[in-house]
Amino acid sequence: MTNAKPLVKCSVSNCHYWGEQNLCRAEEIVIEIDQHSGSRYMEEYAEEMTDNNHQDHAETSSATCCLTFKPNA
């Protein structure tokens, strides 16, 4: 059995992973609560959060942010 990747839409066109029709081309998506949005992570995908079973709780979608964003060079 294979795990299908979900379709991820994003309108941030200056992101390195942005593709035609607003499709995200990143291999992995990391989303965090806004409370941690100012944190500086060592890896592009914030692996230190995802590898240690880090969990938070958000009340609404507006309380979250995407840490996968990487600006185009």
Side-chain angles (χ1 to χ4, degrees), residues 8-51:
V8 177
K9 294 272 194 166
C10 178
S11 63
V12 184
S13 63
N14 68 319
C15 181
H16 173 76
Y17 303 107
W18 183 86
E20 291 182 23
Q21 299 179 338
N22 287 355
L23 294 177
C24 181
R25 297 175 298 154
E27 289 296 317
E28 179 177 332
I29 306 297
V30 176
I31 300 172
E32 181 57 275
I33 61 171
D34 284 347
Q35 178 181 349
H36 298 290
S37 65
S39 300
R40 295 181 184 262
Y41 297 106
M42 300 295 289
E43 302 294 330
E44 186 64 38
Y45 294 115
E47 289 179 13
E48 66 270 23
M49 289 174 31
T50 58
D51 286 346

